Amino acid sequence: MTVGVVLLAAGGSSRLGQPKQLVIHQGQSLVRRAARVAVALDAGPVLVVLGARHEAVSAELEDLPVRRVENPDWARGPGGSLRAGLEALLALDDAPPVEAVLVMLCDQVRVETSHLRALVEAWRTTGRPVVASGYEGTRGVPALFGREVFEELRALSPEQGARGVIAREPSRVATVPLPHGGEDVDTPQDLRRLR
């Protein structure tokens, strides 16, 4: 069963004051690191949704086997970027049809390929249509969504993220723990902690 990955890397990083996609951590940009983690999963195509500073962010992906999707409406919110990535994934005619989409953010530095594999394995073994990462008392991304919830992802408003679909019906969600999963890069304080 093919699992496509949609890596959201379109935001403007207004709270950070600089493009988080281009922040260097352990010798590579956050977007490149996240894309390499996604590619290593080797479960299906990897699409990276670009928006703000798309040329500079795209350059970070130059030699990686990912497809770039530009979202001209990126400033309206993550729901639009997620939708753009999903639509591009479903429109691919040179790859097997996907049975699930795994949604990632570029700034979750604790996410490794082993965690993505655990999400896919939980989806395959539990039969649940949604598998989310569990951290800090909540469920969030990275998260995997089976084909049966694609229409809910398509219906997200631009301001909404995937968390709304995860929270809609808790009984259909399997959870895979992600220690320190809430550590991301949104503010200058986060950036100082990261370095």
Side-chain angles (χ1 to χ4, degrees), residues 115 118-119 122-123 126 128 130-135 137-140 142 166 170-178:
H115 181 70
L119 293 171
W123 170 65
T126 67
R128 303 270 178 93
V130 180
V131 182
S133 299
Y135 47 86
T138 189
R139 293 168 165 172
I166 294 168
S171 64
R172 69 180 180 179
V173 181
T175 305
V176 176
L178 176 59

Side-chain angles (χ1 to χ4, degrees), residues 5 7 10 13 16 26 60 66 82 87 89 91 96-97 104 107 114 137 142 178 180 185 187 190 194:
V5 178
L7 172 58
S13 312
L16 184 60
Q26 298 179 342
E60 290 294 307
V66 301
L82 198 161
E87 294 299 342
L89 183 66
M104 295 176 64
D107 67 335
S114 58
L178 176 59
H180 308 289
V185 183
T187 65
D190 295 336
L194 183 64

Side-chain angles (χ1 to χ4, degrees), residues 14-191:
S14 57
R15 287 183 289 168
L16 184 60
Q18 68 185 82
K20 69 172 75 175
Q21 302 93 320
L22 302 177
V23 166
I24 301 298
H25 176 58
Q26 298 179 342
Q28 61 187 331
S29 66
L30 292 182
V31 70
R32 183 173 182 81
R33 181 199 177 282
R36 289 180 69 194
V37 165
V39 167
L41 177 63
D42 196 26
V46 176
L47 282 70
V48 182
V49 183
L50 306 174
R53 303 283 305 271
H54 66 273
E55 289 174 5
V57 176
S58 181
E60 290 294 307
L61 308 169
E62 205 55 53
D63 60 339
L64 295 176
V66 301
R67 300 166 194 247
R68 297 164 187 83
V69 177
E70 215 172 305
N71 177 17
D73 294 326
W74 63 267
R76 295 185 62 204
S81 290
L82 198 161
R83 246 191 357 265
L86 178 62
E87 294 299 342
L89 183 66
L90 296 177
L92 294 177
D93 56 9
D94 61 344
V98 295
E99 296 303 317
V101 60
L102 199 158
V103 178
M104 295 176 64
L105 304 178
C106 73
D107 67 335
Q108 289 181 298
V109 295
R110 299 293 184 166
V111 174
E112 301 290 347
T113 304
S114 58
H115 181 70
L116 302 184
R117 284 194 185 108
L119 293 171
V120 173
E121 185 60 25
W123 170 65
R124 289 183 172 145
T125 57
T126 67
R128 303 270 178 93
V130 180
V131 182
S133 299
Y135 47 86
E136 296 179 357
T138 189
R139 293 168 165 172
V141 294
L144 186 147
F145 301 90
R147 186 171 277 281
E148 53 268 57
V149 294
F150 283 4
E151 288 308 312
E152 291 176 48
L153 295 174
R154 284 178 157 146
L156 287 172
S157 70
E159 311 79 46
Q160 291 179 302
R163 198 166 285 201
V165 174
I166 294 168
R168 185 167 295 138
E169 200 177 307
S171 64
R172 69 180 180 179
V173 181
T175 305
V176 176
L178 176 59
H180 308 289
E183 290 182 19
D184 56 10
V185 183
D186 287 328
T187 65
Q189 293 86 349
D190 295 336
L191 190 53

